[in-house]
């Protein structure tokens, strides 16, 4: 009788995670002294190492050092931080450790040492709030303080452990707060932990809570009151507080917002992680968990492969990926897998372009597509700025015209499709100025026009172009420049069935989540296909060389 021997699955090839966050280390930080203090006074609150001295993982320590980075004046460089990780990666223990440091540990600038390093002192009146939209969420963090604060800390700082409020001898406190924006108004907390703010939405007063927390922090006497959000990956389109954080970070990265002081830290699985391929899935999970090595990969694989677990949930909670809403036009992994930011569009390269314009509400964009390989890239975009700067904003038409002129001066533009609505005059001017350089006309027939491509009358063509773009993305037959503005617009797009197939559009008519750049990208790729089908490029090459080139 033979006995089968089952061996553990071999470790998959290592893959690099997608990392969001600052590079390197800050010049000055209070975090180094805080790390040393936590090792003396804090304990591991749970797990097999419960009761042993607390140790931040390298990723957590790096985050702490950046969160407590200061400038030459001793002021914090980051006023708000987001720590996004997969489920079970230790977000609550990290939040409890940071809260403990704010409560009774060194956490504020106290001058400079002779060697140029900062002196770190306790806050004179610490007030830490653990905020959430439900009592159960605050409990996840509050229950960790008892086992985390060592007996030495309790005795030395006179800590009184309560279930919802924790006091210290010198008057500091930690308290749990839930969905009561009015009760929060006017508070002067020194640190607010926004727990699981992917659950903070309009219907549970989550947005009101977040706004009150921001107002309270802004009026702090020393300007050092801050908030830290701990979250899983949000669901796009739900308009959660976590999604607004992510959109704000994207706006800053794209240069659409002049705001600063937002620290966003995330590690997620590579976009091409295949849930159906065990090796790819294991590699993606190992990448996403980072140094949270206590997470059992086999157990996570089992949860993901359970037919009751939707793929979108698996990607959000276990791979830490931001995936599209159920009616999303495409997913983030599909889009990100086709990014090729290293592809340089050389001066003089033959390209086609698509322009979609708006006066004030929607965005305006100019996107190019290389004829040689279909690489799609953002030439320029104009979006209403966020916040007060957007009041009364209108697109600068001179800037748009200048961008078009520069594009024609830099590249060999052989087709230029323009949606005409709200830019009719400019579209005609571009026809007159550049029409003789274009190899195909945007509109043919009785109403032929070199540049006008009116989307109101081209629903059939645009729907087919949108469907073809999705096929190209799935087949990796499309590359793009990875522009964060284009990515945001692509992920904002929703499936819009019509009598010709499935097109794309905004989530609602008045939505602030724009899609204009992905419309331009789809249109530019359609212009390239039309150019190739026309044979005009082959004729030009034949006329120039006397030979017929294959394409």
């Amino acid at each position: 009788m033979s006995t089968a021997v089952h061996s553990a699955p071999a470790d998959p090839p290592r893959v690099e995670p997608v990392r969001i966050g600052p590079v390197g280390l800050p010049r000055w930080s209070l975090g180094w002294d805080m790390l040393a203090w936590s090792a003396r006074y804090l304990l591991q609150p749970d797990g097999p190492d419960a009761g042993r001295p607390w140790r931040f993982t390298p990723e957590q320590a790096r985050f702490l050092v950046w969160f407590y980075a200061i400038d030459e004046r001793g002021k914090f460089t980051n006023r708000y931080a987001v720590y996004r990780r997969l489920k079970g990666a230790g977000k609550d223990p990290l939040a409890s450790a940071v809260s403990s440091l704010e409560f009774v540990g060194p956490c504020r600038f106290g001058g400079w040492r002779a060697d140029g390093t900062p002196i770190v002192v306790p806050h004179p009146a610490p007030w830490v709030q653990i905020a959430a939209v439900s009592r159960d969420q605050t409990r996840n963090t509050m229950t960790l303080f008892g086992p985390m604060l060592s007996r030495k800390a309790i005795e030395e700082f006179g800590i009184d452990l309560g279930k919802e409020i924790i006091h210290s001898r010198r008057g500091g406190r930690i308290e749990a707060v839930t969905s009561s924006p009015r009760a929060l108004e006017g508070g002067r907390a020194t640190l607010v932990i926004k727990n699981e703010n992917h659950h903070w939405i309009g219907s549970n007063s989550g947005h009101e809570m977040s706004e009150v927390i921001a107002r309270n922090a802004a009026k702090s006497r020393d300007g050092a009151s801050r908030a830290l959000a701990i979250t899983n990956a949000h669901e796009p389109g739900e308009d959660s507080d976590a999604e607004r954080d992510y959109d704000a970070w994207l706006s800053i990265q794209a240069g659409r917002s002049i705001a600063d002081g937002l620290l966003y830290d995330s590690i997620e699985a590579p976009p091409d992680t295949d849930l159906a391929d065990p090796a790819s899935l294991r590699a993606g999970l190992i990448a996403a968990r980072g140094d949270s090595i206590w997470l059992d990969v086999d157990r996570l694989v089992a949860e993901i492969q359970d037919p009751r677990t939707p793929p979108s949930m698996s990607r959000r909670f276990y791979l830490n990926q931001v995936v599209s809403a159920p009616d999303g036009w495409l997913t983030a992994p599909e889009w990100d897998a086709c990014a090729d930011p290293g592809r340089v569009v050389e001066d003089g390269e033959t390209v086609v372009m698509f322009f979609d314009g708006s006066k004030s509400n929607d965005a305006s964009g100019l996107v190019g597509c290389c004829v040689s390989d279909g690489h799609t890239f953002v030439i320029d975009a104009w979006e209403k700025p966020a916040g007060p700067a957007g009041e009364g904003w209108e697109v600068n038409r001179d800037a748009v015209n200048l961008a078009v002129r520069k594009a024609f001066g830099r590249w060999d533009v052989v087709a230029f499709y323009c949606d005409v609505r709200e830019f009719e005059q400019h579209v005609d001017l571009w026809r007159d100025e550049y029409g003789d350089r274009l190899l195909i006309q945007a509109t043919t027939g009785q109403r032929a026009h070199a540049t006008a491509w009116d989307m109101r009358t081209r629903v059939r063509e645009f729907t087919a172009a949108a469907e073809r773009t999705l096929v190209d993305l799935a087949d990796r037959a499309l590359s793009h420049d990875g522009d964060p503005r284009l990515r945001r617009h692509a992920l904002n797009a929703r499936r819009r069935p019509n009598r010709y197939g499935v097109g794309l559009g905004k989530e609602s008519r008045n939505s602030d989540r724009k899609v204009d750049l992905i419309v331009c990208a789809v249109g530019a790729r359609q212009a390239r296909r039309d150019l190739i089908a026309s044979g005009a490029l082959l004729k030009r090459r034949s006329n120039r060389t006397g030979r017929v080139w294959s394409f």
Side-chain angles (χ1 to χ4, degrees):
M1 181 176 179
S2 62
T3 303
V5 177
H6 299 280
S7 58
D11 287 338
R14 178 181 173 83
V15 297
E16 287 299 316
V18 176
R19 298 180 184 272
I20 297 175
V23 178
L25 292 171
R27 182 177 182 182
W28 298 297
S29 175
L30 311 183
W32 303 112
D33 284 28
M34 298 170 72
L35 290 171
W37 185 93
S38 65
R40 293 196 302 270
Y41 288 99
L42 302 182
L43 303 175
Q44 176 63 37
D46 55 14
D49 294 328
R52 295 182 180 179
W54 167 263
R55 292 289 186 272
F56 289 94
T57 71
E59 288 174 9
Q60 292 173 341
R62 186 173 180 277
F63 173 78
L64 183 78
V65 169
W66 271 108
F67 187 42
Y68 284 88
I70 58 173
D71 61 19
E72 65 278 1
R73 302 168 299 168
K75 299 288 187 180
F76 288 127
T77 59
N78 293 301
R79 56 187 170 77
Y80 183 72
V82 179
Y83 189 76
R84 191 183 104 206
R85 289 295 189 277
L86 75 163
K87 198 172 184 65
K91 297 185 293 295
D92 283 303
L94 171 69
S96 296
V98 174
S99 299
S100 298
L101 281 157
E102 285 273 339
F103 178 44
V104 290
C107 60
R108 292 295 184 272
F109 177 71
W112 297 99
R113 299 187 181 97
D115 63 0
T117 59
I119 299 169
V120 192
V121 298
H123 196 290
W127 180 5
V128 179
Q129 292 180 328
I130 311 298
V133 293
S134 75
R135 188 66 64 188
D136 288 340
Q137 289 173 13
T138 62
R139 190 176 297 118
N140 292 337
T141 304
M142 293 296 293
T143 55
L144 293 173
F145 289 112
M148 176 171 277
L149 290 163
S150 67
R151 180 171 296 277
K152 178 180 180 181
I154 292 172
E155 293 176 352
E156 187 169 327
F157 302 110
I159 298 172
D160 180 14
L161 293 167
K163 291 184 178 181
E164 295 186 3
I165 301 180
I166 301 173
H167 295 279
S168 72
R169 183 185 301 117
R170 63 184 185 188
R173 70 183 187 269
I174 301 175
E175 65 176 356
V177 294
T178 53
S179 300
S180 180
R182 290 188 178 182
L184 279 172
E185 191 74 61
R188 297 183 181 274
T190 53
L191 175 71
V192 180
I193 301 294
K194 296 168 66 174
N195 197 300
E196 296 187 342
N197 70 325
H198 55 282
H199 292 310
W200 294 32
I201 57 179
S203 60
N204 59 23
S205 300
H207 293 318
E208 290 183 76
M209 288 262 291
S210 185
E211 291 164 2
V212 170
I213 289 168
R215 288 197 297 270
N216 289 345
K219 70 178 186 181
S220 61
R221 182 171 300 175
D222 57 1
S225 175
R226 301 185 296 163
L228 164 61
I230 58 173
T231 183
N232 297 122
H234 61 272
E235 180 181 328
E238 192 176 31
D239 191 29
S240 65
D241 187 58
E243 183 172 17
R244 292 186 177 188
D245 286 345
Y246 186 67
D247 288 347
W249 178 80
L250 288 176
S251 293
I252 294 170
Q253 294 300 304
R256 197 170 66 89
S257 172
I258 61 173
D260 59 6
L262 171 58
L263 171 62
Y264 198 103
D265 191 295
S266 177
I267 297 178
E268 62 186 67
D272 58 354
T273 301
D274 187 348
L275 301 186
D277 181 342
S280 176
L281 177 56
R282 287 182 61 84
L285 285 167
I286 291 172
R289 76 174 180 177
D291 58 14
S292 303
I293 56 175
W294 55 85
L295 286 171
D296 189 316
V297 174
D298 293 329
R299 175 60 185 272
L300 297 180
V301 168
E303 291 291 340
I304 292 172
Q305 293 179 337
D306 189 318
R308 296 169 296 181
T309 306
S312 59
M313 182 180 295
S314 296
R315 290 193 178 277
R316 284 182 57 212
F317 288 102
Y318 300 123
L319 298 179
N320 198 33
Q321 294 176 332
V322 175
V323 294
S324 298
D327 65 341
W329 183 64
L330 84 166
T331 68
E334 287 173 328
W335 181 257
D336 293 341
C338 294
D340 185 9
R343 165 68 161 93
V344 178
V345 184
E346 301 288 352
D347 291 354
E349 188 162 348
T350 302
V351 305
V352 300
M353 302 192 306
F354 192 99
F355 173 77
D356 182 21
S358 176
K359 180 180 179 182
S360 58
N361 186 32
D362 283 336
S364 297
L366 181 65
V367 172
C369 182
C370 298
V371 174
S372 61
D373 59 2
H375 180 73
T376 306
F377 59 101
V378 176
I379 298 172
D380 213 334
W382 301 266
E383 294 185 85
K384 182 170 73 173
E391 295 181 6
W393 179 87
E394 290 188 6
V395 65
N396 185 330
R397 293 176 183 248
D398 290 337
V400 173
N401 193 53
L402 179 60
V404 171
R405 180 180 296 276
K406 285 183 175 180
F408 272 94
R410 179 176 180 183
W411 298 297
D412 174 27
V413 181
V414 294
F416 186 24
Y417 287 8
C418 307
D419 188 22
V420 301
R421 187 176 183 181
E422 299 202 54
F423 265 81
E424 290 89 346
Q425 184 178 3
H426 281 74
V427 173
D428 286 341
L429 290 173
W430 294 334
R431 173 200 58 194
D432 297 340
E433 186 168 357
Y434 307 114
D436 59 348
R437 295 178 52 177
L438 305 176
L439 297 185
I440 61 171
Q441 294 194 324
T443 302
T444 58
Q446 293 183 346
R447 297 186 177 182
H449 198 292
T451 55
W453 203 85
D454 193 340
M455 293 189 64
R456 293 169 292 190
T457 64
R458 311 298 281 266
V459 177
R460 182 198 295 269
E461 293 94 327
F462 186 80
T463 299
E467 292 180 336
R468 176 60 185 271
T469 301
L470 284 182
V471 172
D472 290 344
L473 283 165
D475 293 342
R476 307 281 181 87
L478 179 159
S479 70
H480 58 80
D481 61 354
D483 188 291
R485 298 166 297 180
L486 178 57
R487 181 185 192 274
R488 173 163 46 83
H489 284 213
L491 297 183
N492 284 344
R494 298 292 183 261
R495 292 167 55 86
R496 290 294 174 258
N498 57 52
R499 61 176 177 165
Y500 304 114
V502 180
L504 66 89
K506 294 199 298 183
E507 61 182 356
S508 66
R509 183 180 181 86
N510 297 317
S511 174
D512 289 331
R513 300 177 185 282
K514 308 307 180 186
V515 300
D516 305 85
L517 285 177
I518 190 60
V519 168
C520 290
V522 170
R525 290 184 62 79
Q526 181 60 41
R528 174 179 179 265
R529 281 190 290 272
D530 291 347
L531 173 69
I532 294 171
S534 73
L537 192 62
L538 289 173
K539 292 178 183 177
R540 184 177 75 162
R541 288 176 174 173
S542 177
N543 291 336
R544 285 181 176 180
T545 65
R547 293 179 294 171
V548 176
W549 292 73
S550 61
F551 193 83

